């Protein structure tokens, strides 16, 4: 299991996860941040890989639990 000492999320990964937490789709996050849907998905997938999760929701919950989104 990923430990908080091992996991470092980029600022963009954190931004994307915060918007996912608010229920936004990748398309909507892309519009908000001024980037493509592919870029949003890239950052979310990187965060999911780092946190060893298999869904966007699980990733947000784990990041929040580890204090990475504060």
């Amino acid at each position: 299991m990923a430990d908080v000492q091992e996991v470092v999320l980029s600022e963009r990964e954190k931004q994307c996860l915060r918007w996912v937490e608010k229920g936004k789709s990748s398309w909507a996050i892309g519009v908000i941040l001024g980037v493509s849907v592919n870029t949003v998905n890239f950052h979310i997938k990187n965060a999911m890989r780092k946190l060893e999760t298999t869904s966007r929701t699980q990733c947000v919950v784990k990041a929040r639990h580890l204090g990475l989104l504060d």
Side-chain angles (χ1 to χ4, degrees):
M1 185 169 149
D3 191 10
V4 69
Q5 289 87 10
E6 304 171 3
V7 178
V8 177
L9 296 178
S10 71
E11 280 305 310
R12 191 61 103 179
E13 290 164 352
K14 291 178 189 179
Q15 282 180 326
C16 290
L17 291 180
R18 287 184 192 112
W19 286 113
V20 168
E21 186 176 36
K22 293 179 182 190
K24 299 295 184 188
S25 67
S26 292
W27 178 84
I29 296 168
V31 170
I32 292 165
L33 299 179
V35 297
S36 73
V37 171
N38 287 337
T39 301
V40 172
N41 288 334
F42 170 81
H43 291 300
I44 292 171
K45 286 179 184 181
N46 278 343
M48 288 171 59
R49 180 184 47 79
K50 290 177 182 181
L51 291 169
E52 300 174 353
T53 59
T54 56
S55 74
R56 294 160 59 110
T57 303
Q58 184 184 21
C59 188
V60 168
V61 169
K62 190 168 185 178
R64 182 63 67 192
H65 176 73
L66 293 174
L68 299 174
L69 298 181
D70 295 330

